[in-house]
Amino acid sequence: MADWIWYPGDFEIHQGMLQNCVREERGMRWPAYWYMDDCLRNVRLFREYDLMEETAFRVKICGIGYVRVNDEKHRCNEAIVCGPGKTLIEIFVANPEGLPCAYADGPVIRTGPDWSADDLAGNIGAAGTSCLYRSPEQDPNRIFYQEEQIPCACRREVNGGFLYDFGRAVTGKPHFLSFPAGTKVTVCYGESETEALDVERCYYKEDNADEHTEFSRRAFRYLYIPEKEGEKITLEAVHQFIPFPKRGTFRCSDERLNRIWETAEETFRLCCGLFILDGIKRDQWIWSGDAYQSFFVSQYLFGEEELVQRTLTALRGKDPVRQHMNTIVDYSMLWIVSVRNYYEMSGNLGFLEFIYPKMISLLEYCLEQTNDLGFLYGREGDWIFVDWADLDKEGCLCAEQALLAHSLRSVLECARALGRDASVYGKHLEKLSGNITRYFWDEEQGGFIDSYESGKRKISRQSNLWAVLFGAADEKQKDSILRNVIQNDAVAPITTPYFKYYELDALAEMGELEEVYRRILEYWGGMLDMGAVTFWEEFDPSQTGTEKYAMYGDPYGKSLCHAWAASPVYLLSRYFAGLYPTKPGYQEFGVRPEGIRILEEFSFVLPVRSGSVRIFWKKPCLSIFTDMPGGKLILGEKAFPLIPGKELKLEV
Amino acid sequence: MADWIWYPGDFEIHQGMLQNCVREERGMRWPAYWYMDDCLRNVRLFREYDLMEETAFRVKICGIGYVRVNDEKHRCNEAIVCGPGKTLIEIFVANPEGLPCAYADGPVIRTGPDWSADDLAGNIGAAGTSCLYRSPEQDPNRIFYQEEQIPCACRREVNGGFLYDFGRAVTGKPHFLSFPAGTKVTVCYGESETEALDVERCYYKEDNADEHTEFSRRAFRYLYIPEKEGEKITLEAVHQFIPFPKRGTFRCSDERLNRIWETAEETFRLCCGLFILDGIKRDQWIWSGDAYQSFFVSQYLFGEEELVQRTLTALRGKDPVRQHMNTIVDYSMLWIVSVRNYYEMSGNLGFLEFIYPKMISLLEYCLEQTNDLGFLYGREGDWIFVDWADLDKEGCLCAEQALLAHSLRSVLECARALGRDASVYGKHLEKLSGNITRYFWDEEQGGFIDSYESGKRKISRQSNLWAVLFGAADEKQKDSILRNVIQNDAVAPITTPYFKYYELDALAEMGELEEVYRRILEYWGGMLDMGAVTFWEEFDPSQTGTEKYAMYGDPYGKSLCHAWAASPVYLLSRYFAGLYPTKPGYQEFGVRPEGIRILEEFSFVLPVRSGSVRIFWKKPCLSIFTDMPGGKLILGEKAFPLIPGKELKLEV
């Protein structure tokens, strides 16, 4: 089987650009507000064969071009005969409107990752491929969604019109099963019933729809047809999705926790297409900060690599770096850390080889704005985000320095894996690390201050959480931060779900799993109590009326199916099951099932390389099974090797 | 009237990319073999108004997006009401497939060159516009050609099929006036009769054509339908072109010279579309070396600015520079010189302001490959072209250094016009200029040698012509070069029409106008004698059979309508009429009609700014009329001011 091939990264960059253009709001299209890279327009795709005998092949391209075989030109879409002997096959393809790509197929000659790609300006790399594009009938400029018919779960007459509830979130289209001839209706969409019924202000609306209307792919649970003609209409929803493997599962004795996992999984799957998106209704943009958190979920749920690679590649775009990722300085650095995390998870050196130069150019872009102390500062027009919170943002920020240090560490680790010299970054890290404690640590308050330049010596959870998670705090400092900052009600609480993730992760890492458990049940359980079928961008239990759908000053601005809300999958897998790689790609891995201290009973199946690890707990029996070598069970100070194919049973 | 607007340069770069993709050869599409830039995908177009009263406007875009008026979002294609007071209007538009652009129209609010454009990464400039796109019905992603019906001049039965001769070169499509229902025919195209009749090997062929076929725009003089059904077919040609003004005219007592001018004009007009192309049949690519020569023709023939601006902008593409222009080192430098020449011709500071940073980045790219002597050397993979000729190409070449010096001089001149500091280039020029004579001048041979590193001390016309034309030779050296190189039959002759241009230009500049006259009549007249209706890429009078259509190893590889063959228009205007600017934009200009030494009688009308200069000569009476101030007639040592609106008559 052959692959469609393209210039490395170009499929992801082109489709990512298209993705950042799909946002729609009340009849307006809303492209993302940052600089958008696109793929190359003109490339050469080539491979040399040493043919034993004469052979034939055929080339299909998206775009315009021709095939050159040992300097002789041939047309596409016709059988080309060549060999025996050394045969250089070059496909020249330009695509003025989209991704230039090619598919060559024959008994011997087939495009695949063993082909090379040339940008015609001296930059040659291994051709890009995707497991989603292996048929000549496809076109990598289009997305081929799988489809599923979703029947209407319930239809009700409301305000003289008709409301259809599908009982679940759908990303797709309405499909009329019967439609009164000659009429036109309005179709109003809603993630909530309230939104669908708000004919004026719902996000998506199709005016003058009939059975011939070509609907775009949109997210909804409810549809509302305000006209009385709705009575004669029957319809279903066509859900369009890219399927991902179900490799992570969880069950326990607590039905509420089971529903939280299932709803988190449902939420996450809906947010994953070619890329991991923030949510399904509103932006549908690729955000680095959101992706950073999502990668931890996909690691345990799908154990699938291409989705992460695609998201990382699309986010990063092309060189030169034109601006910070999504215009946010922290998001550039979170991306650098994400690459390291992905390598940790996958051990994929091929991808690392491809992405490493882009890590370096982005890191260099960040280092351009550092001072003599090694600190990163904000320049005119820079967006130093951290969180929507009242931080002391004067001068260099502690949170950014912790993240910069971790970015440097990430690059050093990747360089080591590739055998590259990155010692210049080691020196920067050394200087920076010392200065973080020197300038930001406040012994009296027992935590890191946001800014040393303002003189305010303000302590925030944000700065300290990043210091803990990104390795700026030593063990003693961590203890102090736990007591004096995180468990200190006088320090302003985290209010955004974006930072709630970091808080729970830090709490879990510092052993406060009971607290994590309590918060999961309260926050995510609270959404279930409100009837959520997917988890929301933000949840405030005190909002019980329609104000709960509002955000960013818009009555339906809140996304009700948001990727970062799926973090219970990560928290349970990483800390309750306790699975984590100790060598890149899970070549070695640990299982430290701290959840046995909290739950009476649970079972996890989680992906490890091409296999899995199964962890069963029914107090007091712990049983672990894996088909992959390299595993180790860790209980307190003790370690037990996991033998592939052999169940390890213990009484704890 | 409003203008379509876009990010500056993006229309030209996008359409230039499309232009470099139109080449077609025997059923294959052949995109140019270099790195192709494209326009931005996502831009913000904006302007602030201080509105006296409420006003309304409407926005049309190519792509997707919305309009923001003082922070409030609006849909496109709907009336938007705003004012009075300060009103910021921002149009956000992304175009995933083409050029993002917008057209706003209202009594007060109208898009135009007074709007700004933002690449969303901090780079803001004056919005781009074109006089070709001023109607809301247009789309700057399409070219709107003017059309002209060309009747078939003569139909003949040949080899059982039918040959249609249009008597002129056409860039357009066949149009069937009558067609036998239910049949399909083959349409073979030819610039020559021989090509059209060669059903197998002609460049363009449409198989299975009928009255519904959508033909692409192609160049031809002849069409051949090999099937007997051709008998029942009547057809015309639809010529598609962009009209350019006819501001330069020439007549004289020598009918042969008149026909040469007319045919050169016809040739040149055919090669000009959105851009100046090399030729109409084969490449149709935008080549810097060809454009360099063509700009001199357009200056006298059209006196039109946008065509030159479009060609310069498309050639240059975006920053960063990825490779030398058209992959050729000399072509990068010829482009830099062309910008200076264009400024000289137009005095257009707005365009210079826009293009200057791109001059600098390209010059810097060239200077990266210079050595301690200031000499430019070829790097691995660089194409140092100069000419298809047997030059001594070892080490640094004299021709390249002369061109580099002239590039530096060009940048210095442009910097001066803009009031920018470019002293660093002045220093480089000083060092380089001294070293050119020191290392390349051979006093004994009386000329510049190609290479000093090889030890061969070879003298070529090419090196010496560029030394003369690009200011590396002083007056004494020029005299010596004329005698010892150019008039020395022992030095290998120029064989390419590309360099014939430089030779004639140098001869004319050095006062050898009789020789230029003789060669024009011989070379261009020779093509007329062969029945040419347009001038060819190359002409060798010894080729009298079908071999005259061959080039580059292809039986029909020679372009029979090639822009660089139009140089008689330039040579006659520049030296025979003797018109040239002495201050940028012809604010001051000279007329030095050397042609009176050669021709008995002539009349020129040539463009000067928005007006013209008319030069009549009937031995011994010279009469000059201009409606523009700043002119001066120069006869030998004497100068006579030209008073606008007042004819100057002299007996010479």
Side-chain angles (χ1 to χ4, degrees):
Chain A
M1 217 195 222
D3 295 273
W4 279 95
I5 59 170
W6 45 74
Y7 192 79
D10 265 13
F11 167 74
E12 296 85 344
I13 291 167
H14 181 66
Q15 286 287 355
M17 181 273 295
L18 294 175
Q19 182 66 52
N20 285 330
C21 285
V22 300
R23 182 169 181 173
E24 180 191 347
E25 183 181 314
R26 301 189 177 97
M28 277 173 291
R29 292 289 294 279
W30 186 351
Y33 51 78
W34 49 77
Y35 184 96
M36 286 187 197
D37 276 310
D38 196 2
C39 57
L40 299 174
R41 294 272 82 94
N42 193 22
V43 300
R44 178 175 70 107
L45 306 163
F46 64 101
R47 201 199 130 168
E48 196 176 65
Y49 285 88
D50 201 352
L51 298 171
M52 294 299 117
E53 53 187 351
E54 193 181 273
T55 188
F57 67 105
R58 218 172 253 275
V59 174
K60 220 184 137 175
I61 59 173
C62 297
I64 57 162
Y66 63 97
V67 186
R68 194 159 72 181
V69 180
N70 287 342
D71 275 336
E72 197 178 291
K73 296 210 291 283
H74 295 266
R75 282 185 278 265
C76 299
N77 305 315
E78 291 181 5
I80 300 171
V81 179
C82 62
K86 279 219 191 286
T87 308
L88 174 64
I89 301 175
E90 299 169 288
I91 306 173
F92 290 86
V93 52
N95 191 333
E97 297 177 348
L99 175 74
C101 51
Y103 186 95
D105 202 10
V108 179
I109 291 164
R110 283 172 194 172
T111 42
D114 50 354
W115 281 56
S116 298
D118 177 2
D119 73 349
L120 301 173
N123 303 298
I124 292 177
T129 62
S130 163
C131 61
L132 298 173
Y133 296 88
R134 288 189 168 151
S135 146
E137 280 72 46
Q138 288 177 312
D139 171 351
N141 287 280
R142 289 184 46 215
I143 306 177
F144 297 84
Y145 290 111
Q146 210 159 293
E147 297 200 335
E148 186 186 342
Q149 268 69 42
I150 311 291
C152 172
C154 161
R155 186 177 88 152
R156 284 195 296 131
E157 193 172 342
V158 189
N159 306 333
F162 292 83
L163 179 75
Y164 300 78
D165 176 4
F166 294 91
R168 56 159 290 178
V170 169
T171 49
K173 310 174 177 189
H175 175 228
F176 296 120
L177 298 170
S178 60
F179 194 91
T183 61
K184 300 263 187 195
V185 299
T186 309
V187 181
C188 303
Y189 295 66
E191 278 195 303
S192 64
E193 187 177 316
T194 310
E195 184 184 7
L197 293 173
D198 192 339
V199 176
E200 279 316 303
R201 294 186 302 173
C202 60
Y203 255 65
Y204 302 137
K205 181 162 60 175
E206 193 82 36
D207 287 310
N208 300 312
D210 63 19
E211 68 270 47
H212 307 298
T213 301
E214 298 267 4
F215 292 95
S216 18
R217 183 172 179 267
R218 291 167 177 153
F220 60 94
R221 174 180 163 179
Y222 299 91
L223 295 175
Y224 178 61
I225 296 178
E227 294 90 353
K228 63 177 177 355
E229 283 80 6
E231 179 150 31
K232 291 178 205 140
I233 291 173
T234 55
L235 53 72
E236 63 181 13
V238 180
H239 178 54
Q240 299 177 311
F241 62 102
I242 292 180
F244 292 97
K246 187 182 180 77
R247 297 187 62 197
T249 64
F250 166 72
R251 294 290 299 168
C252 75
S253 45
D254 181 343
E255 208 38 54
R256 193 171 173 82
L257 199 56
N258 289 340
R259 278 190 57 213
I260 288 172
W261 175 287
E262 284 158 17
T263 309
E265 177 174 351
E266 168 81 353
T267 301
F268 196 72
R269 282 184 189 276
L270 284 162
C271 292
C272 293
L274 276 188
F275 310 102
I276 306 181
L277 309 181
D278 63 330
I280 61 173
K281 180 182 86 168
R282 204 191 50 226
D283 303 7
Q284 304 172 64
W285 294 342
I286 315 172
W287 289 97
S288 175
D290 301 52
Y292 174 85
Q293 301 186 1
S294 292
F295 294 145
F296 292 105
V297 175
S298 76
Q299 166 176 5
Y300 289 106
L301 206 51
F302 304 154
E304 195 266 3
E305 294 196 18
E306 262 201 32
L307 173 66
V308 179
Q309 289 180 20
R310 287 196 299 263
T311 304
L312 286 171
T313 305
L315 271 169
R316 179 58 186 78
K318 295 241 174 237
D319 275 325
V321 178
R322 307 274 180 173
Q323 67 187 174
H324 282 292
M325 208 167 274
N326 313 122
T327 75
I328 301 174
V329 180
D330 354 340
Y331 280 20
S332 290
M333 295 190 282
L334 285 171
W335 181 88
I336 292 172
V337 175
S338 295
V339 171
R340 174 250 175 218
N341 291 351
Y342 170 68
Y343 172 67
E344 195 67 20
M345 185 266 269
S346 68
N348 187 330
L349 277 170
F351 181 74
L352 193 59
E353 191 82 46
F354 157 71
I355 207 87
Y356 183 77
K358 298 191 181 214
M359 276 182 103
I360 295 298
S361 48
L362 187 55
L363 179 65
E364 288 287 348
Y365 189 77
C366 294
L367 293 180
E368 270 171 30
Q369 56 190 106
T370 54
N371 63 18
D372 287 348
L373 300 169
F375 290 159
L376 182 145
Y377 54 85
R379 294 166 308 188
E380 174 95 24
D382 271 344
W383 185 6
I384 304 272
F385 173 54
V386 188
D387 193 13
W388 298 116
D390 182 29
L391 302 184
D392 176 4
K393 287 197 177 175
E394 196 171 326
C396 299
L397 296 199
C398 178
E400 300 290 300
Q401 311 321 321
L403 184 46
L404 177 61
H406 203 48
S407 305
L408 287 161
R409 217 174 283 122
S410 299
V411 166
L412 286 168
E413 239 175 83
C414 294
R416 208 157 28 238
L418 292 171
R420 308 281 176 92
D421 175 36
S423 50
V424 57
Y425 304 122
K427 290 199 193 94
H428 195 118
L429 176 61
E430 209 173 307
K431 176 168 68 177
L432 175 62
S433 298
N435 284 336
I436 291 177
T437 287
R438 196 163 308 130
Y439 284 83
F440 291 101
W441 180 254
D442 186 316
E443 192 58 45
E444 208 168 305
Q445 299 188 78
F448 288 97
I449 54 172
D450 290 348
S451 156
Y452 66 89
E453 288 168 82
S454 71
K456 294 182 194 151
R457 307 197 71 77
K458 181 182 167 75
I459 294 267
S460 73
R461 285 173 193 268
Q462 283 82 357
S463 298
N464 284 282
L465 289 170
W466 277 12
V468 167
L469 288 167
F470 297 141
D474 60 25
E475 291 308 313
K476 223 181 110 218
Q477 287 171 326
K478 278 191 199 173
D479 278 350
S480 169
I481 287 169
L482 181 61
R483 279 176 293 110
N484 297 305
V485 182
I486 301 185
Q487 293 174 341
N488 178 356
D489 291 347
V491 178
I494 297 293
T495 59
T496 66
Y498 173 61
F499 243 86
K500 275 215 166 76
Y501 162 85
Y502 291 114
E503 191 172 35
L504 290 177
D505 197 19
L507 278 169
E509 196 188 296
M510 293 187 294
E512 301 298 308
L513 217 55
E514 299 264 4
E515 173 71 9
V516 172
Y517 180 54
R518 196 183 57 72
R519 295 215 205 170
I520 288 178
L521 291 178
E522 184 182 292
Y523 186 80
W524 281 271
M527 285 188 257
L528 292 180
D529 293 341
M530 293 265 189
V533 290
T534 50
F535 288 132
W536 307 351
E537 186 174 13
E538 189 180 30
F539 171 62
D540 176 352
S542 73
Q543 298 178 332
T544 51
T546 58
E547 80 278 13
K548 65 174 171 287
Y549 303 124
M551 209 166 163
Y552 306 110
D554 187 297
Y556 308 110
K558 187 179 291 171
S559 161
L560 299 189
C561 177
H562 218 70
W564 69 30
S567 59
V569 167
Y570 162 68
L571 294 166
L572 291 169
S573 306
R574 173 65 185 82
Y575 298 107
F576 284 66
L579 172 67
Y580 58 95
T582 50
K583 279 204 174 162
Y586 289 88
Q587 285 306 315
E588 292 184 8
F589 58 97
V591 178
R592 188 195 284 271
E594 302 282 350
I596 62 176
R597 291 194 284 114
I598 291 160
L599 296 167
E600 294 290 308
E601 200 178 328
F602 63 71
S603 73
F604 278 98
V605 180
L606 296 173
V608 170
R609 304 210 297 284
S610 60
S612 65
V613 59
R614 291 151 194 271
I615 304 157
F616 299 98
W617 165 248
K618 186 165 186 174
K619 207 169 182 178
C621 289
L622 180 66
S623 136
I624 305 195
F625 177 89
T626 179
D627 49 358
M628 289 287 133
K632 201 156 58 176
L633 170 69
I634 300 149
L635 287 176
E637 302 294 291
K638 282 191 226 158
F640 308 84
L642 299 172
I643 315 297
K646 201 164 161 244
E647 192 172 19
L648 174 68
K649 281 193 169 185
L650 283 175
E651 275 204 15
V652 184
Chain B
M1 217 195 222
D3 294 274
W4 279 95
I5 59 170
W6 44 75
Y7 192 79
D10 265 12
F11 167 74
E12 296 85 346
I13 291 167
H14 181 67
Q15 286 286 356
M17 181 273 296
L18 294 175
Q19 181 67 51
N20 285 330
C21 284
V22 300
R23 183 170 180 172
E24 181 191 346
E25 182 180 315
R26 302 189 176 95
M28 278 174 291
R29 292 288 294 278
W30 185 352
Y33 51 77
W34 49 77
Y35 184 96
M36 285 187 198
D37 277 310
D38 196 3
C39 57
L40 299 174
R41 295 271 82 95
N42 193 22
V43 300
R44 178 174 70 105
L45 305 164
F46 64 101
R47 202 200 129 168
E48 196 177 64
Y49 285 87
D50 201 351
L51 298 170
M52 294 298 117
E53 52 187 350
E54 191 180 273
T55 189
F57 67 104
R58 219 172 253 275
V59 174
K60 220 185 137 175
I61 58 174
C62 297
I64 57 162
Y66 63 97
V67 185
R68 194 159 72 180
V69 180
N70 286 342
D71 274 336
E72 197 177 291
K73 295 209 292 285
H74 295 266
R75 280 185 279 265
C76 298
N77 306 316
E78 290 180 6
I80 300 172
V81 179
C82 62
K86 277 219 191 290
T87 308
L88 175 64
I89 301 176
E90 298 168 288
I91 306 173
F92 290 86
V93 52
N95 191 332
E97 297 176 351
L99 175 74
C101 51
Y103 187 96
D105 201 10
V108 179
I109 291 162
R110 282 171 196 173
T111 42
D114 50 354
W115 281 56
S116 298
D118 177 2
D119 73 349
L120 300 173
N123 303 298
I124 292 176
T129 61
S130 163
C131 60
L132 298 172
Y133 295 89
R134 287 187 169 153
S135 146
E137 280 72 45
Q138 287 176 314
D139 171 351
N141 287 281
R142 290 182 47 215
I143 305 177
F144 296 84
Y145 289 110
Q146 210 159 295
E147 297 199 335
E148 185 186 343
Q149 269 68 41
I150 310 290
C152 172
C154 162
R155 187 177 86 154
R156 283 196 296 130
E157 195 174 341
V158 189
N159 305 333
F162 292 83
L163 178 75
Y164 300 79
D165 176 3
F166 294 91
R168 56 159 290 178
V170 169
T171 50
K173 311 175 178 188
H175 176 228
F176 296 119
L177 297 169
S178 60
F179 195 91
T183 60
K184 301 263 186 195
V185 298
T186 309
V187 181
C188 303
Y189 295 66
E191 278 196 303
S192 64
E193 187 178 315
T194 310
E195 185 185 7
L197 292 173
D198 192 339
V199 175
E200 279 317 304
R201 294 187 300 173
C202 60
Y203 255 66
Y204 303 137
K205 181 161 62 175
E206 194 80 36
D207 286 312
N208 300 310
D210 63 19
E211 69 269 48
H212 307 299
T213 300
E214 297 266 5
F215 292 95
S216 16
R217 182 172 179 268
R218 291 167 178 152
F220 59 95
R221 174 179 164 179
Y222 299 89
L223 295 175
Y224 179 60
I225 297 178
E227 293 90 355
K228 63 177 179 349
E229 284 79 6
E231 179 152 30
K232 291 178 206 141
I233 292 173
T234 55
L235 54 71
E236 62 181 14
V238 180
H239 178 53
Q240 300 178 310
F241 62 101
I242 293 180
F244 292 96
K246 187 184 182 73
R247 297 187 62 197
T249 63
F250 166 73
R251 294 290 300 167
C252 75
S253 44
D254 182 342
E255 206 39 54
R256 193 169 173 82
L257 198 57
N258 290 339
R259 277 190 58 213
I260 288 173
W261 174 287
E262 284 158 18
T263 309
E265 176 173 352
E266 168 81 352
T267 301
F268 196 72
R269 282 184 189 277
L270 284 162
C271 291
C272 293
L274 276 188
F275 310 101
I276 306 181
L277 309 181
D278 62 332
I280 60 174
K281 180 182 85 167
R282 204 191 50 227
D283 303 7
Q284 303 171 64
W285 294 342
I286 314 172
W287 290 97
S288 175
D290 301 52
Y292 174 85
Q293 302 186 0
S294 292
F295 294 145
F296 291 105
V297 175
S298 77
Q299 167 177 4
Y300 289 106
L301 205 52
F302 304 154
E304 195 266 3
E305 295 196 18
E306 263 202 31
L307 172 66
V308 179
Q309 289 180 20
R310 288 197 298 263
T311 304
L312 286 170
T313 305
L315 271 169
R316 179 57 187 79
K318 295 240 175 236
D319 276 326
V321 178
R322 307 271 180 175
Q323 67 188 175
H324 282 292
M325 208 166 273
N326 312 123
T327 76
I328 301 173
V329 180
D330 355 339
Y331 280 21
S332 291
M333 295 189 281
L334 285 171
W335 182 88
I336 293 173
V337 176
S338 296
V339 172
R340 174 251 174 217
N341 291 351
Y342 170 69
Y343 172 66
E344 195 67 19
M345 184 267 269
S346 68
N348 187 329
L349 277 170
F351 181 74
L352 193 60
E353 190 83 46
F354 157 71
I355 207 87
Y356 182 76
K358 298 190 181 214
M359 276 183 102
I360 295 298
S361 47
L362 187 55
L363 179 65
E364 287 287 347
Y365 188 78
C366 294
L367 293 181
E368 271 171 29
Q369 56 191 104
T370 54
N371 64 18
D372 287 348
L373 299 169
F375 290 160
L376 182 145
Y377 54 86
R379 294 166 309 188
E380 175 95 23
D382 271 344
W383 184 5
I384 304 272
F385 173 53
V386 187
D387 193 14
W388 298 114
D390 183 28
L391 302 183
D392 176 4
K393 287 196 175 174
E394 196 172 325
C396 299
L397 296 199
C398 178
E400 299 291 299
Q401 312 320 322
L403 185 46
L404 176 60
H406 203 47
S407 305
L408 288 160
R409 217 173 285 122
S410 299
V411 166
L412 287 168
E413 238 176 82
C414 294
R416 208 158 27 240
L418 292 170
R420 308 282 176 91
D421 174 37
S423 49
V424 58
Y425 304 122
K427 289 198 195 93
H428 195 116
L429 175 60
E430 208 173 308
K431 175 169 69 178
L432 175 62
S433 298
N435 284 335
I436 290 177
T437 286
R438 196 163 308 130
Y439 285 84
F440 291 101
W441 180 254
D442 187 315
E443 192 59 43
E444 208 168 308
Q445 300 188 77
F448 289 98
I449 53 172
D450 290 347
S451 156
Y452 65 89
E453 288 168 81
S454 70
K456 294 182 195 152
R457 306 198 72 76
K458 181 182 167 73
I459 294 267
S460 73
R461 285 173 193 268
Q462 283 81 358
S463 298
N464 285 282
L465 289 170
W466 276 12
V468 167
L469 289 167
F470 297 141
D474 60 27
E475 291 307 312
K476 222 181 110 218
Q477 287 171 325
K478 278 191 198 173
D479 278 351
S480 170
I481 287 169
L482 180 61
R483 279 176 293 110
N484 297 303
V485 182
I486 300 183
Q487 294 174 339
N488 178 357
D489 291 345
V491 177
I494 296 294
T495 59
T496 66
Y498 173 60
F499 244 85
K500 275 214 168 74
Y501 162 84
Y502 292 113
E503 192 172 33
L504 289 177
D505 197 20
L507 277 170
E509 196 188 297
M510 293 187 295
E512 300 298 309
L513 216 56
E514 300 263 5
E515 173 71 9
V516 172
Y517 180 54
R518 197 183 55 72
R519 293 215 204 170
I520 288 178
L521 292 179
E522 185 182 292
Y523 186 80
W524 281 270
M527 285 188 259
L528 292 180
D529 293 340
M530 293 263 189
V533 290
T534 50
F535 288 132
W536 307 351
E537 185 173 15
E538 190 180 29
F539 170 61
D540 176 352
S542 73
Q543 299 178 333
T544 52
T546 59
E547 80 278 14
K548 65 174 172 284
Y549 303 124
M551 208 167 164
Y552 306 111
D554 187 298
Y556 308 111
K558 187 180 290 170
S559 161
L560 299 190
C561 177
H562 217 69
W564 70 30
S567 59
V569 168
Y570 162 68
L571 295 165
L572 291 169
S573 306
R574 173 66 184 81
Y575 298 107
F576 284 65
L579 172 68
Y580 57 95
T582 50
K583 279 204 174 165
Y586 288 87
Q587 285 306 315
E588 292 184 7
F589 59 96
V591 178
R592 189 194 285 270
E594 302 282 351
I596 63 176
R597 291 194 284 116
I598 292 159
L599 297 166
E600 295 289 308
E601 198 179 329
F602 63 71
S603 74
F604 279 98
V605 181
L606 296 172
V608 170
R609 303 210 298 282
S610 59
S612 65
V613 61
R614 291 151 194 269
I615 304 156
F616 300 98
W617 166 247
K618 186 164 187 177
K619 207 169 182 178
C621 290
L622 180 67
S623 136
I624 304 194
F625 177 90
T626 179
D627 48 359
M628 288 287 133
K632 200 156 57 177
L633 169 69
I634 300 148
L635 287 176
E637 302 294 291
K638 281 193 223 153
F640 307 84
L642 299 172
I643 315 297
K646 198 164 164 245
E647 193 172 19
L648 174 67
K649 281 192 171 185
L650 285 176
E651 275 202 19
V652 185

